[in-house]
Amino acid sequence: LAQVIADVKNVLHRLFEDKVQVDDWNITGYGDPSKFGFAKPWKVHEGHTDANIITADNWYGIDSEMIRAFLWEHAASLRHYDAFIVTHTPVFCRLFESFGKPIILVNSCRYDLPYCYNGRLSELSQLNECLQRLQHNGLLLAVSNNKADRDYLELGAGISSVHIPSLCQYTSVTHLPDVAALNPPCLGVREARPGAGKGEGEGKGK
């Protein structure tokens, strides 16, 4: 999450320099708004949540009631933002839909979290409908950082997204596109392939 936030901020800074302000508020506590105090003809907001409403401990239970409580608490301040950024996970798009502002969605995980775990299919249906309305109204810019989550989002919610793979240099994993081409995206339950991500094939011919 922290890496995704940093990447988004870096892109916005390179594109707009001091013309954009990004307020980085998130439930993990990784954000530091003081590092990105851009000047502000317009502002982008990234997921502030109140400790008494949605937290790192209770977000897996996020539902319509929690969203109503969040909006009751924060709507007055959030309506002044020009756009929102949602990273991990897409369910947080539900917090911002009612403001009618553009939402940049960085789809970096299974989009139906937490409902794929807690089994609340009625809430999942509301998430799907939210994403579909946003896309229909031209308010959703969805980017997926891997093909599996890109395809899962389209399969489950009918939402197309742009695939921009993460560089992820911090993992020190070798990228082998010829090997990856032989392994299509897996939808649903995911199982790690033995040896995956260990640079198999390195050193051949030496």
Side-chain angles (χ1 to χ4, degrees):
L1 174 60
Q3 185 63 40
V4 173
I5 291 172
D7 289 344
V8 170
K9 287 180 173 180
N10 184 50
V11 169
L12 290 174
H13 194 191
R14 287 176 178 270
L15 289 174
F16 302 106
E17 296 181 345
D18 61 350
K19 297 181 177 65
V20 125
Q21 171 182 314
V22 178
D23 291 342
D24 169 16
W25 297 339
N26 61 79
I27 60 176
T28 64
Y30 289 129
D32 183 355
S34 64
K35 294 182 180 178
F36 297 91
F38 305 135
K40 45 180 177 180
W42 60 284
K43 297 183 286 183
V44 178
H45 185 274
E46 182 184 0
H48 170 65
T49 58
D50 184 271
N52 296 319
I53 300 173
I54 301 174
T55 71
D57 295 323
N58 71 11
W59 78 270
Y60 261 50
I62 189 170
D63 58 13
S64 300
E65 182 177 350
M66 290 175 68
I67 292 167
R68 281 193 295 271
F70 173 89
L71 291 172
W72 177 264
E73 180 73 22
H74 298 293
S77 59
L78 291 176
R79 66 169 53 99
H80 298 294
Y81 284 87
D82 298 290
F84 301 93
I85 299 169
V86 171
T87 57
H88 186 90
T89 71
V91 71
F92 293 120
C93 286
R94 296 182 65 188
L95 299 176
F96 308 119
E97 180 192 10
S98 62
F99 299 107
K101 304 292 180 66
I103 296 177
I104 299 172
L105 168 62
V106 182
N107 178 42
S108 58
C109 60
R110 188 173 298 187
Y111 93 92
D112 52 3
L113 283 165
Y115 308 126
C116 61
Y117 287 129
N118 63 29
R120 301 186 68 178
L121 299 184
S122 62
E123 295 292 335
L124 174 57
S125 294
Q126 292 189 54
L127 169 60
N128 289 339
E129 292 166 4
C130 165
L131 295 173
Q132 291 160 7
R133 284 191 299 267
L134 288 167
Q135 188 168 74
H136 177 76
N137 293 329
L139 295 174
L140 184 67
L141 174 58
V143 176
S144 295
N145 73 345
N146 65 86
K147 291 181 179 179
D149 287 320
R150 177 199 64 186
D151 292 353
Y152 192 61
L153 176 64
E154 186 163 10
L155 176 67
I159 300 298
S160 58
S161 61
V162 178
H163 175 225
I164 302 179
S166 294
L167 186 58
C168 295
Q169 286 182 313
Y170 63 90
T171 64
S172 299
V173 173
T174 301
H175 176 51
L176 299 173
D178 54 335
V179 175
L182 301 176
N183 294 274
C186 173
L187 301 178
V189 177
R190 304 174 190 186
E191 297 180 357
R193 181 168 48 85
K198 298 187 184 301
E200 43 193 295
E202 286 186 51
K204 288 185 177 180
K206 293 183 179 180

